[in-house]
Amino acid sequence: MIHMSAILFRRISMLFIVAFLLGLGKTVTIPANGAASLNDLGLQQLVEVKEKQFGVRSGYRFEILARSNPFYLDINGGDAANVPIMSNRLYVLGEAGNYGIGMGVMKHTAGLVYNRTNFMSGLLDVFDHDTQTFFLDNTYLRTGNWALSAGIRGTRIVNTADGEKDYSGWTPNVSIGKLFQPGTRQSLWIRWRNSLTFSEITGLAVDGSPFKGLTDDRLNHWSSGLGFTHGWAFAKNWTLDSRGSLDLSQYSKGANQDRNDKLLNLGTAIQWDFLRYFSMAGFLDYSRRFSNLDKYSFSKWDGGVRLNADIGF
């Protein structure tokens, strides 16, 4: 029987934005960190692995927020764009494994995520969209609180106004991370992650003048980044979560050929677990992207409240 303490990442969360670029139509800008882990949901969990097991976990998140730059542009979008944004997310994931291999334990996770994003203004409802994500993750937990992961994520973005698919893509990824415990009520998770995205954009896949370079694969890219998540249970049922990441991305297709980005993400949230399966939180996030193609640089602030429901069995 194997006993070990480790961090278990269940990779499910992804937030995409459908943006209007240069008046030519809809394109998709994707945070380079991929946000493909439950870091974003605040659901990291310290587990003790004892034996083989199977499990199912599902949940719901409601979120309403103000965003300083809702379309991730390098210019001011104007007052008309400064409207509240509402997000509703449902997810279900299955887990199997906890079997020993050498000095560690293997864990397999598969899941589905559905997220609807609404701009709370009739003038902007053309940008409302659904994000549908499938993920598969295989994590090897070693003694010393190390974790090695390999997986794949598939994503579709559908515009709710016309029902058309705006984006689809597949992203294989690998990562290595380590859990530190600076105190009995604190945890610090640090990880290095690499991913490769193969994608298709619908609608502006043309390569002739005046749209030269707008190929349907122009968002294909490689990304590598270092991130951390810190959790502090500072009072009964209260937690302060902080996170940050710096990711480098390189593009090679179409109009994005030779594009290189650096994306900085910082965030904090105070969460109150008011019932066994329910919690609520206030959060503040900051993002800044530096690109050698200036039109892709941006900075933004997000602030708002969220309600979570999560159950496992």
Side-chain angles (χ1 to χ4, degrees), residues 142 264 266:
R142 282 186 54 86
L264 173 68
L266 298 170

Side-chain angles (χ1 to χ4, degrees), residues 82 109 168 219 221 271:
N82 293 329
T109 307
S168 62
L219 287 184
H221 67 280
Q271 179 169 300

Side-chain angles (χ1 to χ4, degrees), residues 193-269:
R193 185 171 182 269
N194 292 273
S195 63
L196 186 62
T197 296
F198 305 92
S199 61
E200 178 184 16
I201 300 176
T202 305
L204 279 177
V206 293
D207 197 25
S209 180
F211 306 109
K212 185 173 178 60
L214 295 182
T215 58
D216 59 6
D217 61 354
R218 63 187 180 275
L219 287 184
N220 288 7
H221 67 280
W222 166 84
S223 182
S224 180
L226 185 68
F228 77 89
T229 301
H230 179 265
W232 176 32
F234 62 91
K236 183 178 181 180
N237 299 328
W238 287 88
T239 305
L240 175 65
D241 292 315
S242 303
R243 60 184 176 84
S245 63
L246 179 62
D247 296 88
L248 310 178
S249 297
Q250 187 173 53
Y251 296 75
S252 60
K253 299 292 186 179
N256 286 327
Q257 189 170 8
D258 299 322
R259 172 183 164 189
N260 295 288
D261 291 352
K262 302 178 185 68
L263 180 64
L264 173 68
N265 283 307
L266 298 170
T268 188

Side-chain angles (χ1 to χ4, degrees), residues 140-181:
Y140 181 59
L141 308 170
R142 282 186 54 86
T143 55
N145 288 345
W146 286 92
L148 305 174
S149 295
I152 191 169
R153 181 183 69 249
T155 303
R156 296 175 74 247
I157 298 177
V158 178
N159 186 280
T160 60
D162 55 21
E164 294 294 323
K165 181 187 71 174
D166 290 325
Y167 171 91
S168 62
W170 290 94
T171 303
N173 58 83
V174 294
S175 67
I176 181 171
K178 182 173 174 60
L179 176 69
F180 301 88
Q181 293 180 278

Side-chain angles (χ1 to χ4, degrees), residues 1-309:
M1 189 174 294
I2 298 174
H3 297 269
M4 65 179 294
S5 292
I7 189 75
L8 177 61
F9 267 359
R10 301 184 181 100
R11 305 178 179 282
I12 68 168
S13 168
M14 173 158 291
L15 176 63
F16 292 90
I17 206 71
V18 175
F20 199 77
L21 179 64
L22 300 178
L24 298 177
K26 288 173 288 183
T27 187
V28 182
T29 59
I30 303 177
N33 69 333
S37 74
L38 282 186
N39 275 348
D40 288 348
L41 290 180
L43 295 178
Q44 63 171 351
Q45 181 180 358
L46 187 66
V47 295
E48 184 171 278
V49 178
K50 295 185 177 181
E51 56 189 13
K52 292 184 180 180
Q53 67 176 31
F54 300 89
V56 176
R57 180 166 293 273
S58 62
Y60 166 76
R61 163 179 283 186
F62 170 81
E63 191 171 85
I64 187 165
L65 61 94
R67 176 168 290 163
S68 65
N69 186 357
F71 298 120
Y72 294 17
L73 301 176
D74 63 336
I75 58 174
N76 190 334
D79 293 338
N82 293 329
V83 300
I85 299 173
M86 181 173 63
S87 172
N88 289 274
R89 179 179 302 158
L90 293 168
Y91 64 89
V92 59
L93 59 89
E95 301 170 338
N98 287 358
Y99 53 87
I101 298 179
M103 297 297 294
V105 171
M106 180 63 76
K107 185 78 170 183
H108 308 289
T109 307
L112 296 170
V113 186
Y114 170 83
N115 191 93
R116 170 159 290 190
T117 301
N118 297 100
F119 291 82
M120 299 178 68
S121 168
L123 296 175
L124 298 177
D125 58 7
V126 67
F127 299 109
D128 294 349
H129 59 280
D130 292 340
T131 304
Q132 303 154 7
T133 304
F134 163 79
F135 69 92
L136 177 65
D137 181 69
N138 304 280
T139 299
Y140 181 59
L141 308 170
R142 282 186 54 86
T143 55
N145 288 345
W146 286 92
L148 305 174
S149 295
I152 191 169
R153 181 183 69 249
T155 303
R156 296 175 74 247
I157 298 177
V158 178
N159 186 280
T160 60
D162 55 21
E164 294 294 323
K165 181 187 71 174
D166 290 325
Y167 171 91
S168 62
W170 290 94
T171 303
N173 58 83
V174 294
S175 67
I176 181 171
K178 182 173 174 60
L179 176 69
F180 301 88
Q181 293 180 278
T184 57
R185 303 175 66 87
Q186 296 185 61
S187 63
L188 174 63
W189 167 256
I190 298 177
R191 68 99 177 99
W192 177 45
R193 185 171 182 269
N194 292 273
S195 63
L196 186 62
T197 296
F198 305 92
S199 61
E200 178 184 16
I201 300 176
T202 305
L204 279 177
V206 293
D207 197 25
S209 180
F211 306 109
K212 185 173 178 60
L214 295 182
T215 58
D216 59 6
D217 61 354
R218 63 187 180 275
L219 287 184
N220 288 7
H221 67 280
W222 166 84
S223 182
S224 180
L226 185 68
F228 77 89
T229 301
H230 179 265
W232 176 32
F234 62 91
K236 183 178 181 180
N237 299 328
W238 287 88
T239 305
L240 175 65
D241 292 315
S242 303
R243 60 184 176 84
S245 63
L246 179 62
D247 296 88
L248 310 178
S249 297
Q250 187 173 53
Y251 296 75
S252 60
K253 299 292 186 179
N256 286 327
Q257 189 170 8
D258 299 322
R259 172 183 164 189
N260 295 288
D261 291 352
K262 302 178 185 68
L263 180 64
L264 173 68
N265 283 307
L266 298 170
T268 188
I270 297 179
Q271 179 169 300
W272 175 38
D273 300 312
F274 60 92
L275 288 173
R276 182 178 180 183
Y277 300 116
F278 297 91
S279 64
M280 62 185 305
F283 64 92
L284 182 65
D285 297 327
Y286 174 74
S287 296
R288 178 147 191 173
R289 182 165 64 195
F290 305 88
S291 179
N292 64 327
L293 302 182
D294 289 341
K295 65 183 178 180
Y296 295 112
S297 298
F298 72 85
S299 63
K300 71 175 181 70
W301 289 91
D302 287 354
V305 294
R306 62 174 65 112
L307 175 68
N308 298 308

